[in-house]
Amino acid sequence: DIGEETTNKYTMEQIQSALETLQDEEKCGQVLRAKGIVEGTDGQWIHFDYVPGEPQVRTGSAETTGMICVIGVDIKQDTIREMFGL
């Protein structure tokens, strides 16, 4: 499992792309759930939720720091951290 705080800023497209990549078990392992709140490059905060086959990305309320959490079985932590620039 991965649980990281981040001050990185992301675009909506970067988050959507990362969530699509989480579906690739060969590349990332079996991801069962992912969620997070990160600051967008446009100043809005991006909230995301992922369960297999159902990525959801939206804007929402601000937080003091970003947070990304990925839960799964045999997940490839280095690959996932790299995808999110952690």
Side-chain angles (χ1 to χ4, degrees), residues 4-10 38-39 45 64-67 86:
E4 297 276 341
E5 288 187 352
T6 181
T7 58
N8 295 348
K9 295 183 181 182
Y10 302 85
V38 294
E39 189 172 0
W45 284 79
T64 53
T65 189
M67 192 276 303
L86 300 173

Side-chain angles (χ1 to χ4, degrees), residues 39-74:
E39 189 172 0
T41 56
D42 61 1
Q44 294 192 54
W45 284 79
I46 301 169
H47 294 231
F48 65 88
D49 290 290
Y50 170 86
V51 293
E54 293 186 38
Q56 296 180 356
V57 182
R58 62 199 177 282
T59 57
S61 59
E63 297 292 328
T64 53
T65 189
M67 192 276 303
I68 296 172
C69 178
V70 180
I71 299 167
V73 178
D74 297 325

Side-chain angles (χ1 to χ4, degrees), residues 70-81:
V70 180
I71 299 167
V73 178
D74 297 325
I75 61 173
K76 298 179 180 169
Q77 293 186 14
D78 292 340
T79 300
I80 294 170
R81 283 190 172 96

